[in-house]
Amino acid sequence: MNIAIFINTPAQFHFYRNIAKELKNRGHFVELLFRDYGENLEIAKELGLNPTVYAKPSDSKYGKILSLPSDVLRATKLLKKFKPDIITGFGVYDAFSSFLVNVPCIVFNDSEPFINSSYAVQFKLFMPFTNVLITPEAFQPNFGTKHINIPSYKEFSYLHPNYYTPKEDIFELIGIEKNEEYILLRFNAFDAVHDAGITGFTKENKIKLVKELEKHCKVFISSETQVPKEIEKNILKTPKSRIHDVLYYAKILITDTQTMTTEAALLGTPALRYNKFVGGKDMSNFIELEKNYGLIFNYQNSEKIFERAFELLNTENLKEIWKKKRELLLKNKIDSTSFMVWFFENYPESFEKMKTDVTIYENFNDNLAKIKG
């Protein structure tokens, strides 16, 4: 089977990385089509890949929209050479391209369309050309017969214990003593089309975070955009592909981005999230991780971050407490990589089976079978 995968962001690359590897191990041919965006190519090359680039987006949001037709045509040309049996991605580019080459498109997406108008437009654009939409189980709304919900998050495809083991040499790489406490700050660029109207920490917020938190322990910064000169000394100098080890051993994460918040929860690191997505129409995974598992904290007011941060820093056995919360999460969620590989290999029969077999998820998490048994 030939499977083409569209990779538009580092988070999407991480989602598909183990899926692609397992499919190749099973004898399938996989083509990864990369958009030259953010840290995408840097991470791919650090992991020894020679990425095929189908698009280099404009620096402006409107430029990204205007370049969409030419990007799709370029991708279509590559796909015609590869001759895929299935095309997959997170929507838009993969959906349009699949239509042009007349190949089924299976989309995974975890960002609800009600969050803002840009997300809503994207869903309206790609859903007519999508054969299957796969989302986390709490995702809203339901898109009907094309839509299936699975008890997992995209981040479990690479941070599930089946695939991820932390490496302690990260302490040496970041230049501190083994098990020395530190805080990780992660800042978003908010330059994607779907980020229109969304903001996070201001320049003043970022400086204040570093200055106040440094009074308690080391502070490191991972940022998609340039940081103020006053805190440039705090920027991480580790390979981009090692960020999850940095995140795993951090005492807490403070961020205005999305994916790394969920990653922290799955790794057992307390996460404090602030941006304009937070509120009554926040994404379901963040609501679930906060309300059901107590793994993260979401804030609309950046000043409240400090109060919670100091409370956590003064909590004894903080990481042990979060480890137990993480264990509960692992019991209730499936290995999304194994599921996606099974779904692709057996499509379209797998899609039909999903509609009738309520026990299907037990195949991807032994804990679920034990709980129900």
Side-chain angles (χ1 to χ4, degrees):
M1 182 183 290
N2 292 351
I3 301 169
I5 301 175
F6 278 70
I7 308 289
N8 293 327
T9 68
Q12 292 177 18
F13 171 60
H14 286 304
F15 174 73
Y16 281 113
R17 177 161 47 94
N18 289 316
I19 295 171
K21 180 180 178 180
E22 184 60 26
L23 286 168
K24 288 180 179 179
N25 289 342
R26 290 168 174 256
H28 303 290
F29 297 94
V30 179
E31 179 75 8
L32 301 178
L33 302 180
F34 281 82
R35 189 169 60 155
D36 184 0
Y37 170 77
E39 301 163 352
N40 238 3
L41 302 188
E42 185 176 353
I43 295 172
K45 289 175 181 177
E46 283 179 5
L47 294 172
L49 297 178
N50 183 24
T52 298
V53 179
Y54 80 92
K56 183 175 177 59
S58 166
D59 291 333
S60 74
K61 292 170 183 175
Y62 292 109
K64 290 181 176 70
I65 295 172
L66 292 173
S67 65
L68 176 62
S70 59
D71 291 342
V72 170
L73 290 175
R74 194 176 300 111
T76 301
K77 186 176 180 180
L78 292 168
L79 291 171
K80 286 181 177 178
K81 292 181 180 179
F82 180 60
K83 298 180 180 179
D85 299 296
I86 291 174
I87 294 173
T88 184
F90 276 64
V92 184
Y93 296 95
D94 41 298
F96 289 169
S97 300
S98 70
F99 173 75
L100 293 176
V101 296
N102 193 30
V103 171
C105 181
I106 299 171
V107 169
F108 183 95
N109 202 298
D110 63 345
S111 299
E112 285 94 341
F114 61 67
I115 296 197
N116 63 30
S117 58
S118 296
Y119 273 110
V121 169
Q122 286 191 31
F123 271 82
K124 287 181 180 178
L125 286 173
F126 73 70
M127 278 306 296
F129 307 102
T130 299
N131 296 82
V132 183
L133 172 66
I134 302 175
T135 69
E137 61 185 342
F139 187 99
Q140 296 295 328
N142 186 281
F143 280 89
T145 56
K146 292 182 179 181
H147 188 180
I148 56 175
N149 294 307
I150 65 172
S152 194
Y153 305 120
K154 76 173 185 289
E155 293 80 5
F156 263 133
S157 69
Y158 53 95
L159 293 181
H160 192 281
N162 288 345
Y163 309 101
Y164 174 75
T165 301
K167 298 177 181 177
E168 291 186 340
D169 67 334
I170 199 65
F171 288 99
E172 182 179 352
L173 287 175
I174 62 179
I176 63 175
E177 295 296 320
K178 184 178 177 181
N179 296 325
E180 183 177 347
E181 291 184 348
Y182 63 90
I183 294 168
L184 178 62
L185 306 180
R186 170 69 172 184
F187 301 133
N188 199 346
F190 292 105
D191 60 352
V193 174
H194 57 247
D195 290 330
I198 303 299
T199 57
F201 290 118
T202 64
K203 174 184 176 181
E204 292 72 25
N205 288 152
K206 294 174 182 179
I207 295 172
K208 184 178 178 180
L209 278 168
V210 173
K211 299 302 181 186
E212 291 296 320
L213 294 169
E214 273 188 328
K215 297 174 183 177
H216 296 265
C217 62
K218 292 281 180 68
V219 177
F220 295 101
I221 297 171
S222 170
S223 181
E224 293 181 341
T225 187
Q226 188 173 354
V227 302
K229 290 184 178 180
E230 294 90 331
I231 57 175
E232 283 182 343
K233 63 181 176 60
N234 297 84
I235 293 176
L236 271 172
K237 295 181 173 62
T238 56
K240 303 296 183 184
S241 58
R242 296 298 302 277
I243 190 61
H244 297 121
D245 290 333
V246 179
L247 184 56
Y248 179 88
Y249 288 106
K251 185 154 189 181
I252 61 174
L253 167 74
I254 298 177
T255 184
D256 56 11
T257 192
Q258 315 294 6
T259 296
M260 199 169 284
T261 301
T262 308
E263 290 177 337
L266 273 54
L267 293 174
T269 297
L272 285 67
R273 168 177 168 260
Y274 160 76
N275 59 41
K276 297 303 180 182
F277 280 113
V278 176
K281 290 187 175 181
D282 202 355
M283 285 173 261
S284 60
N285 58 313
F286 300 117
I287 295 172
E288 183 177 67
L289 287 170
E290 181 174 32
K291 303 298 183 184
N292 296 0
Y293 297 97
L295 283 160
I296 70 172
F297 303 94
N298 301 299
Y299 294 100
Q300 289 180 300
N301 184 340
S302 61
E303 290 301 315
K304 291 185 178 180
I305 291 282
F306 293 94
E307 180 181 343
R308 179 67 72 176
F310 296 138
E311 177 188 322
L312 292 173
L313 289 171
N314 292 317
T315 300
E316 290 187 15
N317 301 317
L318 179 66
K319 294 288 280 189
E320 287 300 314
I321 294 171
W322 252 253
K323 181 181 178 181
K324 291 179 180 178
K325 294 181 179 184
R326 178 192 182 226
E327 288 172 354
L328 176 60
L329 182 69
L330 285 168
K331 286 180 180 179
N332 294 332
K333 302 297 180 182
I334 66 169
D335 170 355
S336 50
T337 287
S338 294
F339 172 82
M340 295 297 290
V341 169
W342 168 81
F343 193 86
F344 289 141
E345 277 194 319
N346 296 282
Y347 184 81
E349 289 80 9
S350 55
F351 187 35
E352 294 305 314
K353 189 170 184 178
M354 292 290 298
K355 298 175 183 178
T356 58
D357 187 353
V358 295
T359 67
I360 194 70
Y361 299 123
E362 295 176 15
N363 297 325
F364 311 104
N365 185 343
D366 291 339
N367 290 306
L368 291 176
K370 291 174 183 176
I371 291 168
K372 292 181 179 179

